[in-house]
Amino acid sequence: MTSSTYDDELVRALGLPDAGELQTAVAAYHQYSKLGGEEKDAYFSECSAPLEVFYSTADDPDLGMALVSLSASMYDDPQFLFLIAAGPLDDMLHRATREGIDRIVAESRKSARMRWMLTGIYLHAISDEARPKIVAAIGTMTENDPMPPRLV
């Protein structure tokens, strides 16, 4: 990613050259999250390429932030968004850089949905540097609060 300034992380994600592929991956992961048993296994066998991008977020925070932002903008499905929170968002905060933490906190200030998604991470598993900043960003919001509307 370039060091350009963006209004928000969704604008950044949609500006990526592979934004369409990432949106396809999010759609595939959403479908995958709804399946169970043999049906889930079969779907993974058929669609493993777009799904595998979700397993790369721990090593690529820009990818993780793009997937989180796209997911939050594409779906009004609380279970799916908490899956994203406990996956890519949590992964980003586990090994967070100062810049990564700042991006997440800045986005949570702009987006109630991002702040709400932060209630779905595992606070005990994120970095010691990130934890107090994320707790402050969450504020009084809880996972039991209604899911805020999409910004887009």
Side-chain angles (χ1 to χ4, degrees):
M1 293 224 169
T2 65
S3 61
S4 299
T5 304
Y6 296 88
D7 289 335
D8 61 39
E9 294 295 335
L10 180 59
V11 171
R12 182 189 296 240
L14 291 171
L16 294 172
D18 61 347
E21 292 172 28
L22 293 177
Q23 288 171 311
T24 299
V26 169
Y29 197 60
H30 181 257
Q31 178 65 29
Y32 180 71
S33 74
K34 298 295 180 194
L35 303 174
E38 291 179 13
E39 193 176 29
K40 190 170 200 156
D41 293 340
Y43 187 82
F44 186 82
S45 294
E46 293 174 25
C47 299
S48 63
L51 296 174
E52 287 177 2
V53 72
F54 281 86
Y55 301 109
S56 305
T57 58
D59 297 322
D60 188 344
D62 288 335
L63 173 62
M65 195 64 166
L67 292 171
V68 168
S69 299
L70 290 169
S71 297
S73 75
M74 291 170 63
Y75 292 100
D76 293 320
D77 178 346
Q79 289 178 330
F80 177 66
L81 295 180
F82 275 144
L83 178 65
I84 297 299
L89 190 53
D90 197 79
D91 288 346
M92 291 167 46
L93 289 165
H94 182 69
R95 293 192 237 168
T97 63
R98 184 164 290 151
E99 177 192 359
I101 297 166
D102 290 346
R103 283 173 63 187
I104 292 167
V105 168
E107 192 65 17
S108 73
R109 287 185 186 130
K110 297 175 205 166
S111 166
R113 184 169 279 203
M114 175 65 85
R115 197 167 43 258
W116 177 80
M117 287 177 69
L118 285 171
T119 68
I121 65 168
Y122 297 102
L123 285 171
H124 67 276
I126 67 175
S127 74
D128 291 339
E129 181 181 357
R131 192 174 304 109
K133 293 176 181 178
I134 297 304
V135 168
I138 293 170
T140 60
M141 189 170 274
T142 73
E143 69 276 1
N144 296 320
D145 288 336
M147 179 180 59
R150 297 184 216 184
L151 291 177
V152 175

